[in-house]
Amino acid sequence: MEAVIVYDSVTGNTRAAASLIADALNRAGIDTTVFPVTAYNPESIAKADLVLVGSWTDGLILAGQRPGRRKRFTKLPDLTGKRAAVFCTYAVNPGKTLDKLTKVVAELGADVVGGMALHRNKLEEQADELVERLTGALAR
Ligand SMILES: Cc1cc2nc3c(=O)[nH]c(=O)nc-3n(C[C@H](O)[C@H](O)[C@H](O)COP(=O)(O)O)c2cc1C
C-alpha cells in the first residue's frame, strides 16, 4: 500500500507531524511520501491508496478555529476512489478544525476514514497513536 501526506505549515509543527506520521506509516509497511500542499507531485497522489491531509489550526484560540490557509487544500486533485485521513496541529483547542478539513477532503471525493488533532507539544506520541488508529481502521 502507498500513502501520500500533504500538509501546510508556517512555523514547522505540522511539517514535523507529517514527517513523524510518515515514519510511523513506513514502519507499518505503508510506503509513504510527504509534500507541502503547495508542492505536491500529482503522480504520487494519483497512485496512492491513502492520502493524509494535515493543517495547522487558525482562529481566535478558543473560538472560530479552522484549517489555516484552508483554500490551499481545495486545490488538491480529485480524490475520488481514495481513502483519506486528516490531521491538524494546535496549541490550545482545535475546535472544529478537523471537521472543516474533513469537509474539504470529502468534497474532493475521498472517503475520509479517520482524523486526529495533535497537540503541538505531543507530536511524537500522537503521531504514533494516529497511525495505530488508522492501520486499525484500514484493516476493518
Ligand atoms: C495566526 C494563528 C492563529 C492560531 N490560532 C489558534 C487557535 O485558534 N487555536 C489553537 O489551538 N491554536 C492556534 N494557533 C496555534 C497553531 O495552530 C499551532 O501552533 C500549530 O501547531 C502551528 O502549526 P505550524 O507550526 O505547522 O504552522 C494559531 C497560530 C497562528 C499563527
Side-chain angles (χ1 to χ4, degrees), residues 24-138:
L25 284 168
N26 281 316
R27 284 197 301 274
I30 299 174
D31 188 9
T32 306
T33 46
V34 181
F35 300 99
V37 68
T38 50
Y40 62 84
N41 177 347
E43 284 170 23
S44 298
I45 293 188
K47 66 181 183 171
D49 310 289
L50 177 67
V51 179
L52 287 93
V53 178
S55 76
W56 50 282
T57 300
D58 189 9
L60 305 172
I61 304 302
L62 289 173
Q65 298 97 327
R66 58 191 179 271
R69 303 195 288 207
R70 174 189 165 281
K71 269 203 176 157
R72 292 186 168 191
F73 297 103
T74 65
K75 298 188 176 115
L76 287 168
D78 185 77
L79 299 177
T80 302
K82 295 191 187 299
R83 286 186 286 190
V86 291
F87 64 95
C88 67
T89 65
Y90 68 99
V92 179
N93 184 330
K96 293 202 164 80
T97 300
L98 272 190
D99 290 345
K100 291 173 183 174
L101 192 56
T102 296
K103 186 163 181 280
V104 172
V105 177
E107 281 172 2
L108 293 166
D111 174 18
V112 184
V113 297
M116 190 168 151
L118 285 72
H119 190 280
R120 66 183 182 184
N121 295 339
K122 296 183 188 161
L123 297 181
E124 288 202 15
E125 61 198 80
Q126 293 189 329
D128 285 347
E129 189 183 333
L130 186 160
V131 170
E132 271 169 36
R133 283 197 210 169
L134 196 55
T135 49
L138 293 172

